[in-house]
Amino acid sequence: QVQLVESGGGLVQAGGSLRLSCAASGRTFSSYAMGWFRQAPGKEREFVAAISWSGAITIYADSVKGRFTISRDNAKNTVYLQMSSLKPEDTAVYYCNAGGAVRNDYYFPSPSWGQGTQVTVSS
């Protein structure tokens, strides 16, 4: 099973930017679709963005379209989430997921999750 480690979270003011990273172990990273989810206090985990194994297909939740960009570097076994124009409602723990299915403009996650990284956006 792939191991995932997220990093890059922190405290930022509204309008600022952060880049999250998710480093994956395993030799088959380049064959996995990857996704980012987030969970705010008292809320269910929600989909944020996903990218196909090749990087050719990216999909986003409506709430982050035009502000967040997902990318991957298969040589480094790492997927990124560049977050710009951050809003207080983006505050959440952000989780990386590996090996899910990209279908019908949605990413269906696998059981492989990272431990999460906290993003806090102050107003």
Side-chain angles (χ1 to χ4, degrees), residues 25-114:
S25 65
R27 294 174 295 175
T28 57
F29 173 82
S30 61
S31 67
Y32 294 154
M34 300 290 295
W36 284 98
F37 287 72
R38 66 187 182 187
Q39 187 167 18
K43 295 187 177 181
E44 293 190 354
R45 192 171 298 188
E46 65 174 1
F47 169 73
V48 175
I51 188 166
S52 63
W53 67 271
S54 67
I57 299 172
T58 56
I59 54 176
Y60 297 92
D62 288 344
S63 59
V64 306
K65 277 181 183 175
R67 300 189 299 121
F68 290 11
T69 302
I70 189 171
S71 62
R72 66 189 297 159
D73 185 337
N74 286 344
K76 296 182 178 180
N77 279 14
T78 301
V79 63
Y80 304 98
L81 186 68
Q82 178 67 49
M83 306 185 295
S84 302
S85 302
L86 282 162
K87 304 175 182 180
E89 51 263 44
D90 295 317
T91 295
V93 177
Y94 283 71
Y95 296 92
C96 178
N97 182 269
V102 176
R103 236 181 356 253
N104 298 330
D105 288 334
Y106 188 75
Y107 176 84
F108 295 87
S110 77
S112 297
W113 296 94

